[in-house]
Amino acid sequence: MIKVLAIDDEPLALRQLTTYINKVPFLTLAGACSNALEARELMDKEMIDAIFCDINMPDISGMDFVKQLSVAPLVVFTTAYSEYAIEGYKVNAVDYLLKPYGMNDFLRAAMKVQEQYNLRHQDTPRESSPLQDDGTIFVKTDYRVVRISVNDIRYVEGMSEYLRIHLEGQKPVITLMALKKMEDYLPKRQFMRIHRSYIVNLQKIQEVNKNRVILDQDTYLPISDNYKEQFNEYLNQKFLGK
């Protein structure tokens, strides 16, 4: 199911949008917001796959809202003004719905969203690891491609289809990728999956306390039962004394 957020400052338009979303079998409505601030608050708490967003809204327009997102979901813009269509496509909008639109128009846009969603999440064979000879990788974030040194990675956190890469002395980097794919890319001698949501840089662990690893006084990561045996094997290899 594709998790969708509806955003429109007009109550009737928002009601129509949510009704249409609920009628499409492969969409699930994650929330309905009347402005960009509400939408941003919800998206900070929950990963959203796609948004249907009105352009003409008070305070922050739909266009500006999408440009500000650190990780952009699939976007379908809705508006009563046709002159925004070209600008919408400049921010890689999947489609553009001109008000008033009907169910057939909405379904056409929804199917485009489904097509793009499937392309994003399809498993493609990997010929070789992207890890460079200099120990760096490139990831896409915020419409940019940034270089990351694997030695700077403290741990990787899985959030649905996204990853939050926590770095030493830097802000976390959020990118669209499965945690399993990142696990395959990172060097096994240095990184280990310890939980369904966490990969840790073994060199960053300061302490092991019961079922968690401690990276510093503020950072604790759980070790789940599924990965405990593998982690204990690593620990025993490093353990000095009885």
Side-chain angles (χ1 to χ4, degrees):
M1 296 289 283
I2 302 172
K3 296 176 67 174
V4 176
L5 185 62
I7 312 168
D8 201 307
D9 64 309
E10 299 177 8
L12 290 177
L14 185 59
R15 189 178 307 137
Q16 179 195 38
L17 191 52
T18 57
T19 299
Y20 285 170
I21 290 170
N22 286 326
K23 286 183 177 180
V24 179
F26 53 82
L27 300 181
T28 181
L29 182 64
C33 304
S34 60
N35 58 63
L37 295 177
E38 286 181 13
R40 186 57 185 264
E41 185 176 352
L42 190 150
M43 293 179 72
D44 285 342
K45 299 176 182 177
E46 186 175 358
M47 280 298 169
I48 302 297
D49 299 313
I51 61 174
F52 286 78
C53 182
D54 184 33
I55 291 179
N56 300 89
M57 295 189 295
D59 299 326
I60 302 175
S61 72
M63 195 73 64
D64 290 336
F65 169 64
V66 170
K67 290 177 180 178
Q68 292 171 9
L69 293 176
S70 57
V71 177
L74 300 168
V75 179
V76 175
F77 283 120
T78 66
T79 185
Y81 302 94
S82 59
E83 61 266 26
Y84 286 110
I86 295 177
E87 188 177 356
Y89 287 120
K90 286 182 179 179
V91 294
N92 296 321
V94 174
D95 205 355
Y96 175 92
L97 288 170
L98 182 63
K99 297 179 181 179
Y101 56 87
M103 184 62 196
N104 286 338
D105 296 323
F106 179 84
L107 185 58
R108 183 200 71 231
M111 291 179 71
K112 288 184 179 181
V113 168
Q114 183 187 41
E115 180 182 358
Q116 290 299 313
Y117 177 86
N118 290 339
L119 286 174
R120 280 189 176 189
H121 294 85
Q122 69 182 1
D123 293 327
T124 54
R126 176 169 56 93
E127 295 180 0
S128 60
S129 171
L131 189 63
Q132 304 296 315
D133 293 338
D134 57 0
T136 65
I137 55 175
F138 285 92
V139 298
K140 185 176 181 180
T141 181
D142 272 343
Y143 303 105
R144 300 173 295 127
V145 176
V146 298
R147 184 197 294 269
I148 294 176
S149 169
V150 295
N151 290 328
D152 288 338
I153 299 175
R154 302 181 70 217
Y155 65 98
V156 182
E157 179 183 3
M159 308 179 300
S160 185
E161 290 87 11
Y162 295 86
L163 299 181
R164 181 181 281 124
I165 304 172
H166 296 262
L167 302 170
E168 199 75 58
Q170 305 173 49
K171 290 183 178 180
V173 172
I174 298 177
T175 187
L176 178 67
M177 185 186 296
L179 191 63
K180 180 63 171 67
K181 183 173 288 188
M182 177 61 81
E183 182 183 8
D184 291 340
Y185 286 156
L186 293 173
K188 305 297 183 186
R189 66 184 182 278
Q190 186 176 353
F191 292 87
M192 182 178 291
R193 182 89 168 260
I194 60 170
H195 187 274
R196 65 183 180 87
S197 299
Y198 295 106
I199 297 171
V200 67
N201 185 338
L202 297 168
Q203 297 176 1
K204 305 294 184 180
I205 297 174
Q206 298 300 315
E207 184 179 332
V208 181
N209 189 334
K210 296 182 179 178
N211 291 326
R212 62 183 183 176
V213 298
I214 301 173
L215 306 190
D216 56 48
Q217 61 180 358
D218 298 317
T219 310
Y220 305 79
L221 302 180
I223 306 169
S224 71
D225 291 340
N226 290 338
Y227 299 94
K228 187 181 298 183
E229 182 178 352
Q230 178 186 5
F231 181 76
N232 284 339
E233 287 179 3
Y234 162 78
L235 204 60
N236 288 335
Q237 293 174 2
K238 297 288 185 179
F239 192 75
L240 182 63
K242 297 182 179 179

